Amino acid sequence: GTGTQTITVATSTDGITYTAFAAPATVTAQFIKVKISMTGTGLLTIDSMTIYISGRVVDEYIENQVVTVDSARINYLDAVGDFRVLPTKTYAVINYVNVAFQNMTPVTNEVWTWAVMDKSISLGPRINIFKNGALANLPAGATCDFYIKGL
């Protein structure tokens, strides 16, 4: 048959609530629905179709941060050892966060660990630091380096 095709997309950040279908454009979303509408006469078919979806990787290093006080790159929260890293770049999603402790003097029977509590794109990733399993601030003089990666 003969006719025309119209391609529209709907996007979502949570996979549940989607935007209205609209013409394709640059979007910031984790989920995309593609709709092809065909109008015309006779038997309308799609002979072939290729859809390219790509995302630009965004990443950054934030180095030598004191994590026990607020600063341009750290939002120290109320609890000991609880803070957010404030990225300089914009993310649609944060997939990966890594933390490296710096200037730490080894002390017998001290085990320092960290955990990513969330990967908020609006507030920055939330990190907790633990000493022997309990929330704790790093010792004086210690700093952290961060690597954040997403789209």
Side-chain angles (χ1 to χ4, degrees), residues 12-141:
S12 173
T13 57
D14 61 10
I16 298 168
T17 305
Y18 283 81
T19 63
F21 280 95
T26 300
V27 297
T28 301
Q30 286 182 274
F31 304 91
I32 294 181
K33 292 181 180 180
V34 177
K35 179 170 73 172
I36 301 163
S37 302
M38 300 180 66
T39 57
T41 59
L43 178 62
L44 302 175
T45 61
I46 300 172
D47 295 324
S48 69
M49 178 174 60
T50 304
I51 298 173
Y52 292 101
I53 299 175
S54 65
R56 179 182 51 88
V57 173
V58 179
D59 67 344
E60 63 186 296
Y61 290 96
I62 300 172
E63 299 176 302
N64 302 317
Q65 297 297 305
V66 174
V67 297
T68 54
V69 294
D70 284 339
S71 70
R73 301 278 54 93
I74 298 296
N75 177 15
Y76 186 75
L77 303 173
D78 292 333
V80 169
D82 187 17
F83 60 91
R84 290 191 179 277
V85 182
L86 305 175
T88 60
K89 298 182 179 179
T90 301
Y91 295 85
V93 62
I94 294 175
N95 302 98
Y96 180 80
V97 178
N98 192 26
V99 180
F101 297 143
Q102 304 292 331
N103 304 319
M104 296 281 288
T105 303
V107 176
T108 303
N109 298 322
E110 282 189 2
V111 177
W112 290 89
T113 58
W114 56 271
V116 177
M117 306 312 291
D118 70 43
K119 297 174 189 170
S120 173
I121 60 171
S122 59
L123 301 173
R126 186 174 183 174
I127 309 294
N128 281 178
I129 294 179
F130 302 92
K131 175 182 167 184
N132 297 333
L135 279 170
N137 285 329
L138 289 177

